[in-house]
Amino acid sequence: MAEKNIVFESGGLKLEGLMDQVKGGAGVVVTHPHPQYGGSMHNNVVESLVKAYGKAGYTTLRFNFRGVGKSEGQYDEGVGEQADVRAAVEYLRELGMSAVDLAGYSFGVWVNALGIQDLNDVDRMIMVSPPVHFMDFSFLEYSPKIQLVIAGAEDDIAPPDMIRKMLPRWNGDASFQIIQGADHFYGGKTGEIEGIIWKFLRKEE
């Protein structure tokens, strides 16, 4: 992968990102875990999402939410962060991407989910460890865009049993994959995330 540093704007703020642009019309925006707990685009799970999509021939864009790293602004409790996601998706669309996926991990999933009903330019959403035990997901209604959900069997922030109960309301047809022996941080298990996403993307071709 040949990721390059990029800067794009979100509501007048400059955000930093890493993009690997390849030929073809498919792209993905990847969002990171909670900024107030050290989350950034350099997270191991974010990197595994980027790798899996890159291997499948997608242009990948991961970025730091406002107030993280060199991105301007400050943490905005998910409100400004939704604008950041929209700006990232628009950035890929302006590069000519005809299909854009949205993939997030933990807090990133929550931000993606908050805005998904208004993100007409997003084709599919992938959720890794939606933090249902830690953040409120009661707002999330049915969306056909939710197509793959991944959680660790030992994850107490995104407990598989809680997710299983919520999934029919989000999208009962979505694939739900549980990684045995993995907690919320996926130490030593990111290869399994890559494998699941790779299979999912291959199936769609």
Side-chain angles (χ1 to χ4, degrees):
M1 291 197 64
E3 288 179 297
K4 290 188 171 67
N5 293 302
I6 61 154
V7 174
F8 62 97
E9 285 211 5
S10 170
L13 298 174
K14 287 189 171 63
L15 304 185
E16 66 167 338
L18 283 168
M19 184 173 72
D20 180 21
Q21 189 175 357
V22 297
K23 283 183 179 152
V28 63
V29 169
V30 183
T31 56
H32 69 69
H34 209 301
Q36 296 194 308
Y37 298 88
S40 81
M41 66 176 172
H42 298 292
N43 170 272
N44 62 326
V45 175
V46 169
E47 287 183 350
S48 70
L49 289 165
V50 166
K51 266 190 212 159
Y53 267 94
K55 194 173 154 194
Y58 281 66
T59 288
T60 61
L61 170 57
R62 54 173 152 159
F63 69 95
N64 276 334
F65 283 124
R66 54 188 59 203
V68 177
K70 290 180 186 161
S71 288
E72 294 176 350
Q74 58 195 31
Y75 174 67
D76 195 28
E77 297 179 3
V79 180
E81 286 81 3
Q82 287 177 66
D84 299 346
V85 171
R86 278 197 303 275
V89 170
E90 278 165 26
Y91 188 83
L92 285 187
R93 283 290 186 179
E94 282 164 11
L95 288 174
M97 301 291 133
S98 54
V100 176
D101 279 9
L102 190 51
Y105 165 51
S106 196
F107 171 83
V109 174
W110 181 70
V111 174
N112 294 349
L114 281 169
I116 194 62
Q117 300 297 353
D118 301 321
L119 285 164
N120 299 326
D121 279 345
V122 167
D123 294 81
R124 299 182 299 196
M125 185 160 78
I126 287 181
M127 309 163 103
V128 180
S129 288
V132 294
H133 197 226
F134 178 62
M135 306 188 90
D136 180 16
F137 273 79
S138 62
F139 65 86
L140 187 56
E141 300 293 332
Y142 170 78
S143 173
K145 295 176 181 180
I146 300 168
Q147 294 195 11
L148 174 63
V149 182
I150 300 170
E154 319 291 322
D155 192 335
D156 54 359
I157 293 170
D161 290 350
M162 273 181 83
I163 294 169
R164 195 176 276 113
K165 284 182 187 136
M166 294 175 167
L167 203 49
R169 204 176 87 226
W170 299 350
N171 181 2
D173 294 328
S175 170
F176 184 30
Q177 302 288 328
I178 298 169
I179 296 177
Q180 296 306 317
D183 63 11
H184 194 65
F185 303 101
Y186 292 94
K189 297 285 182 180
T190 51
E192 293 187 44
I193 296 174
E194 285 169 45
I196 290 168
I197 290 173
W198 168 246
K199 248 191 239 166
F200 168 78
L201 294 173
R202 295 290 291 173
K203 188 181 87 225
E204 301 297 319
E205 282 180 2

